[in-house]
Amino acid sequence: MAGNGNVRAPIGGVPPKPGNTYSINVKNFISRARALYEHWKKHSADMWGSADALAIATPPASDDLRYLKSSALNIWLLGYEFPDTIMVFTPKQIHFLCSRNKASLLEVVKKPAHDELKVDVVMHVKPKGDDGTGLMDAIFRAIRELSRGDGNDSQVVGHIAREVPEGKLLETWTDRLKNAKFQFVDITGGLSDLFAVKDDTEVMSVKKAAYLAYSVMKTVVVPNLEGVIDEEKDITHSALMDLTEKAILEPTKAGVRLKPENVDICYPPIFQSGGKFDLKPSAASNDELLTYDPASIIICAVGARYNSYCSNVARTYLIDATSLQIKAYEVLLKAHDAAINALRSGRKINTVYQAALSVVEKNAPEFVDKLTKSAGTGIGLEFRESGLNINAKNDKVLRPNMAFNVSLGLQNLECESESRSKIKKFSLLLADTVLVTEQNPEIITKCSKSVKDVAYSFKEDEEEEKPRKKAKISGSENYITKTALRSDDHVVSKEELRKQHQAELARQKNEETARRLAGDSSGAGDSRSTSKTSADVVAYKNVNDMPQPRSLEVQTDSKNEAVLLPIYGSLVPFHVATIRTVSGNQDTNRNCYIRIIFNVPGTPFNPHDSNSLKNQGAIYLKEVSFRTKDSRHSSEVVQQIKALRRQVMARESERAERATLVTQEKLQLAGNKFKPLRLSELWIRPPFSGRKKIPGTLEAHANGFRYSTTRPDERVDVLFANIKHAFFQPAEKEMITLLHFHLHNHIMVGTKKTKDVQFYVEVMDVVQSLGGGRRSAYDPDEIDEEQRERDRKNKINMDFNHFANRVNDMWQLPQFASLDLEFDQPLRELGFHGVPHKTSAFIIPTSSCLVELIEYPFLVVSLSEIEIVNLERVGFGQKNFDMAIIFKDFKKDVLRVDSVPTSSLEGIKEWLDTTDIKYYESKLNLNWRQILKTITDDPQSFIDDGGWEFLNLDGSDSESGGSEESDKGYEPSDVEVESESEDEASESESLVESEDEEDEDSEQESEEEKGKTWDELEREATNADREHGVESDSEEERKRRKMKVFGKSRPGGSSGSSMKNMPPSKRKHSHR
């Protein structure tokens, strides 16, 4: 779970420069230095190796997440990590060998140390470029002056044996120290025991870290898991890790009011499932999808730090668990509680592990060999404090204010009855952060681990939801908006124009989809894809290449991809690519027929290509049929033609796909040819790995961009040929100005594989007012500050705009003309709010894309790749609706943008219409995965049944007659057909059919009824009821019914008569 690593200022990064608001806490330094000297003196022989001096060398700063004893001592004693610094403690002196800036920061401890501790602090300031050997010799002389008192002239120097020297300074120090003829002892044990017992400040830091950890588990991890499982989404373990890490680094996302600069992760959050479990502390989240099938196990672990003090919590979640999994978890839970209860002052650490082991031996002896060999470790400045492992051998005594990560697991268990490999093997893990007190141990990660809170059963929930889903449908079918009863000539005319355009788009879209499903790549919509014209399709170059005819019957030639058809006594060859469909059937007289339909240019599903336009007078064969008595031969020929056609189409599809690939070439640096365009002080997303980020420079070279920082391994090349879309978004209502590149092929940014690379600058600095009171709007300082911010923002926007324009000029050169590149700028006035991933974002169209470039992960959707857009949950009374974007590549998941405000509906419709994108509307969310599977499984039925018109709920019965069968495969996911009665069966018919019935009824209404108010319609319905001898409803019931019609009551709240939700004009016919 944790590596070892440096921490960040102020929780342990590079010390601040003079003048910074951070400073050393002198009081803490004195109290902890006193504790160090007292512990050293008391335990000199057994823990400190009778050392005369303690030498601790802290290595240079690193971006890796790691824990070092030297860094821990820096933070514990001084409040910061001092990289590239050497500390030497003698009984009367403390020597610091460091740079000038660090020495000036340490000056504040000199006088208090002399007055309070009678210890002199000696500074050895190393100038730049000096190797420090002279200063080291001075420290060695101070050590040699120490008197042993035992007759031995060789002094003993204590050091941290396991830490390897890093950097030139530490390597020189280690070499010279070894040659100084001192004796050496390892003082790791002494430091561990010194850090083990926390003071009040440290205890509070551990508690705050634990509060953050379990808050993230409760408010971020668990809701995310439940949402993913409930909505059956696909998400990787690493994606969950990223979401959780962000919540730790931004505590407000978990509802925790801690300053972000004081918090950090202990390790990247861990998510494991699918039969692959690692309970070691070094485990990591992989890129595989989260598994939540029945009998699945999900392990989640979260570690957070506050002021460099660590905490940890881990939980195991069971999905429709088996009896073995429940039993194993209950045993582990008892063992974990027993271990925590045994953490009492005065006891030995090994009794804690023995308590857990005894529970397993008593309740489930078969699990003893599966129990982890350790029940956790001490925790504090280090995630794993050495010397405090909770195992069967550690006999150290527990003391108050010790903190432990109690982590216990059962590993590599097997369900013998389970055949699925991802479910067969499983492991369980529980971990909590616990404080040892004078009395009972205190669990400070207060996150539930009881069986009822971690075991989920979704089978029962699905059965209970069926009638509820059905009720919602029946209650929402009859909403009628007020606008349907009004007449606004301007709005109607505009809407009519849009409907006409959408009808034309629907026709074109159905034709394009049909071509693509039939295997014609000309409908792919990607300008980079290529398709064969009719001139490219040649079966035989000359007559001599044709095979000698054996007989005048239908034959196939697989080698030349041809079909030979007997026409007027001769075999005529046709390339298989010219055949659209082939079928065979048999009549009552046992005559077998082979019917072949050809692709004819100019027909709705086969547009003219360049060759057919040149020969517009050509005559094409559309269809041929052959009759035979040989049923076996007929069947073989049909199968051979179909197989050959599939083979050719698959090859052509692969060829078209390969044509879209961009070969990565080497970046050609500008060199002496020209000065590269440059933008400095930019940040990159996704960021490079490592804890400390630094800005870099973006340069435009001969054939691409290069982004680099001062670190040699942080470099990214973005080639012009690999750029699919380029965006420039100035800061208007956002805090950043950015350049964004959406790529054809993935590239690596550090260790991350990505298709989106962004370079940005924050236009405003985050300023925190230290004064509690409000400042006047006319405060001159406030006005000047706002003006400076505006000037800074305008300058950054102008610099980015200038860079983008210069690059656009470069892209106009002949060698880049084929790339068709230009910086696109989002159109804010067309933007709308929505939830494309997990959080709400402002989504903005551009001339060629739909983008969201502020929140990560980014959203970039090419308009040319969109098949259709379905606007879902559109209905009267709805505050929000969802937008489902279906791509031309049906293998891609449908993109959902949820919770779009209804106020944006008209604007989105207008934008979709002007960009020639066909959209549909539905009252429910549809199960697109099942719909696309149905289409791809039987594309011909989809084409024959009208294509996407099953989504058109505005069509009349005459337009969609006979569509009942075809709509069965396209029912929304919420529809459940489970009733046997006629009334219930009618309620569970497809949404398309029920809408058509409403349209038919509405057409039967008279013109007089369309203009009448609801009160008039109510009176007419009452009179009609009386005429047919039906008792009138009470006034109260009429009011309730009227409220339901207007949507003021909750739809679907009752499964009773659907007539109560009908308008009066419809309800009066139902009484007959």
Side-chain angles (χ1 to χ4, degrees), residues 60-73:
S62 171
D63 290 333
D64 296 331
L65 188 64
R66 59 182 186 176
Y67 298 92
L68 300 173
K69 276 284 188 293
S70 57
S71 301
L73 180 62

Side-chain angles (χ1 to χ4, degrees), residues 713-743:
D713 58 335
E714 292 186 353
R715 190 173 69 187
V716 175
D717 292 343
V718 181
L719 300 177
F720 294 159
N722 195 25
I723 298 176
K724 188 174 185 180
H725 299 290
F727 305 99
F728 160 55
Q729 182 168 325
E732 293 185 17
K733 296 183 179 180
E734 299 85 11
M735 296 288 290
I736 63 174
T737 297
L738 61 88
L739 297 176
H740 188 101
F741 301 105
H742 183 65
L743 310 178

Side-chain angles (χ1 to χ4, degrees), residues 5-299:
N6 282 349
V7 286
R8 302 176 303 175
I11 60 172
V14 179
K17 296 180 180 180
N20 199 308
T21 55
Y22 299 118
S23 60
I24 293 176
N25 188 324
V26 177
K27 183 179 178 181
N28 273 356
F29 172 82
I30 295 299
S31 64
R32 292 178 182 178
R34 179 180 286 113
L36 169 62
Y37 276 101
E38 289 175 355
H39 194 280
W40 181 12
K41 183 177 180 181
K42 183 178 180 179
H43 302 282
S44 176
D46 57 338
M47 293 187 185
W48 298 92
S50 299
D52 299 307
L54 311 178
I56 291 92
T58 309
S62 171
D63 290 333
D64 296 331
L65 188 64
R66 59 182 186 176
Y67 298 92
L68 300 173
K69 276 284 188 293
S70 57
S71 301
L73 180 62
N74 280 194
I75 298 167
W76 181 77
L77 188 62
L78 302 169
Y80 307 102
E81 180 184 355
F82 281 69
D84 235 11
T85 300
I86 298 169
M87 292 190 297
V88 178
F89 296 81
T90 68
K92 295 296 181 181
Q93 292 178 324
I94 304 176
H95 296 265
F96 289 94
L97 197 164
C98 57
S99 65
R100 185 175 301 279
N101 287 338
K102 296 169 190 171
S104 62
L105 188 65
L106 291 166
E107 285 291 331
V108 295
V109 303
K110 271 189 173 183
K111 189 175 185 302
H114 183 270
D115 295 343
E116 300 283 341
L117 305 175
K118 308 303 179 186
V119 173
D120 294 325
V121 176
V122 182
M123 300 293 176
H124 303 271
V125 179
K126 185 179 80 68
K128 282 187 176 181
D130 187 24
D131 59 2
T133 54
L135 302 174
M136 295 175 191
D137 290 337
I139 296 174
F140 296 157
R141 285 194 296 271
I143 297 175
R144 290 192 182 97
E145 291 173 2
L146 299 173
S147 175
R148 290 283 297 167
D150 57 358
N152 191 343
D153 293 333
S154 179
Q155 284 75 23
V156 179
V157 177
H159 69 125
I160 303 171
R162 291 186 178 181
E163 291 191 8
V164 179
E166 298 177 20
K168 186 176 180 180
L169 178 66
L170 267 64
E171 289 173 353
T172 304
W173 164 261
T174 303
D175 291 339
R176 296 186 67 81
L177 187 64
K178 287 180 180 178
N179 296 327
K181 298 181 180 180
F182 296 129
Q183 298 180 46
F184 298 96
V185 293
D186 186 13
I187 59 172
T188 302
L191 291 173
S192 296
D193 196 75
L194 178 65
F195 298 154
V197 178
K198 277 72 177 172
D199 60 28
D200 292 342
T201 304
E202 292 175 286
V203 168
M204 182 54 65
S205 293
V206 174
K207 285 186 174 181
K208 288 183 177 180
Y211 176 62
L212 175 59
Y214 82 74
S215 296
V216 169
M217 182 68 80
K218 287 202 303 186
T219 62
V220 177
V221 173
V222 173
N224 275 335
L225 287 178
E226 291 175 346
V228 167
I229 298 171
D230 190 50
E231 298 175 19
E232 298 184 0
K233 294 182 178 179
D234 290 340
I235 190 169
T236 61
H237 299 130
S238 55
L240 287 169
M241 176 195 73
D242 292 338
L243 289 171
T244 308
E245 182 173 343
K246 288 179 182 177
I248 296 174
L249 299 178
E250 299 178 38
T252 53
K253 290 186 176 181
V256 177
R257 301 180 67 179
L258 293 176
K259 292 182 179 179
E261 61 265 26
N262 292 338
V263 303
D264 201 355
I265 59 171
C266 290
Y267 54 87
I270 297 171
F271 292 84
Q272 301 181 81
S273 68
K276 295 181 181 179
F277 299 98
D278 183 4
L279 303 188
K280 295 178 182 178
S282 58
S285 303
N286 57 33
D287 290 327
E288 294 185 6
L289 291 175
L290 182 74
T291 301
Y292 44 82
D293 296 330
S296 292
I297 298 293
I298 302 174
I299 292 179

